[in-house]
Amino acid sequence: MDRPGRLLLVSELRVRNAAYNVSLSRSLLAWKRRAPSPLYHPFRPSVCHSVPVSEIISVREEEEENGSRQEDDDDDGSWKKIREGGGKVCRQSFTVSYVERCRPHRWRCAEVTFTCPDGPLHQNWVSSIREQLTSITSRPRHLLVYINPYGGKRQGERIYEQKVAPLFAQAGILTHVIGGSVTTAHSCTVLQVMEHQGQKRGRRSDAPS
């Protein structure tokens, strides 16, 4: 994993009502649970997580409103609350969706929700993460998708619509899908045309000016 480099943001945020030190650099998002008081939790280790920015799928904004007594009881008093009309507790939250490596050659989608003490900090975090995602030049903006009608026990189109297409939409990638009733011969023709166009563009760029 690459070194995180200069930090863009460092804040104390909450994950599941626990305090975490969260940092963002151009290459890494990291969150580490703040060490509890040794007087009350002498043997509880500090938990640290990190994910490369290139493996973040998206970030979305959320709002939490919870006026329950249980949350008030669980709060340690050090976390600033913003109360709106009716006495409800309002905290600004955002959720980061990312790729988690569970074992060799097997990835899965995961999420973590961070809660900020105020709206401006929340907006700063969301906009900063989105800026880093936009700056990734290797991330495609448009994709041409071919679905093998015989793949996945002839369930390729259904698998794509249920599992793959939502990920593309979540990541903000526009797609043009060719599959289903499209014949293999037609798909090969389209690929040959695209390859020929790419070769022509390559010859033009190599030509002396």
Side-chain angles (χ1 to χ4, degrees), residues 27-43:
S27 60
L28 194 70
L29 173 67
W31 57 103
K32 181 178 181 180
R33 185 167 183 169
R34 295 193 62 187
S37 171
L39 180 64
Y40 299 103
H41 305 286
F43 304 110

Side-chain angles (χ1 to χ4, degrees), residues 79-97:
W79 191 250
K80 179 181 177 182
K81 302 176 188 177
I82 303 175
R83 293 190 177 272
E84 294 183 333
K88 291 184 178 180
V89 177
C90 179
R91 293 174 175 173
Q92 300 289 336
S93 301
F94 63 93
T95 298
V96 176
S97 301

